[in-house]
Amino acid sequence: MLVAFSLTPMGVEAGVAEYIADAVKIIRESGLPNRSDSMYTMIEGEWEEVMDVIKRAKDAVAAKAPRVQLVIQADFWPGMPNPLDGKIGLLEQRIADATPGSPSPTT
């Protein structure tokens, strides 16, 4: 399972990095494959372990902010190995295959 989620501290000043830093540390130390960007964090694993990490990350933000908004999107793709990188790999391959003049994968 691949989950993309965002935690937004509400009722705080415009800069949120200090509110999110502890949450990102929890995610990174979870041992689950993950990647964060400026809007979302993606984490890969089984339902129980992913939801536990998200809950602990939310709790870390809630410890500093009066309110927390949590948005979760999940992709259940049985048989997809390493969806964090595998889905992007499939996309990149399709782009390469569709690009005129690109070498075919067999050459």
Side-chain angles (χ1 to χ4, degrees):
M1 174 174 86
L2 182 62
V3 175
F5 70 100
S6 66
L7 291 162
T8 305
M10 307 295 285
V12 299
E13 296 180 21
V16 298
E18 71 177 274
Y19 297 94
I20 298 298
D22 291 339
V24 172
K25 184 175 180 183
I26 288 167
I27 295 159
R28 289 181 178 171
E29 291 176 351
S30 72
L32 298 176
N34 66 83
R35 183 176 302 134
S36 295
D37 62 30
S38 59
M39 292 185 62
Y40 287 94
T41 293
M42 291 176 286
I43 187 167
E44 176 185 324
E46 296 301 319
W47 178 269
E48 292 79 14
E49 59 190 359
V50 168
M51 291 302 145
D52 176 64
V53 172
I54 292 172
K55 180 187 181 311
R56 290 188 290 124
K58 184 272 302 169
D59 290 346
V61 177
K64 294 182 177 180
R67 180 175 157 208
V68 180
Q69 184 179 71
L70 170 63
V71 176
I72 301 175
Q73 181 174 355
D75 185 357
F76 301 91
W77 190 346
M80 165 53 80
N82 308 311
L84 188 63
D85 294 319
K87 289 178 68 172
I88 296 298
L90 285 174
L91 174 64
E92 292 297 339
Q93 183 60 51
R94 296 275 174 9
I95 292 168
D97 291 348
T99 303
S102 65
S104 70
T106 59
T107 59

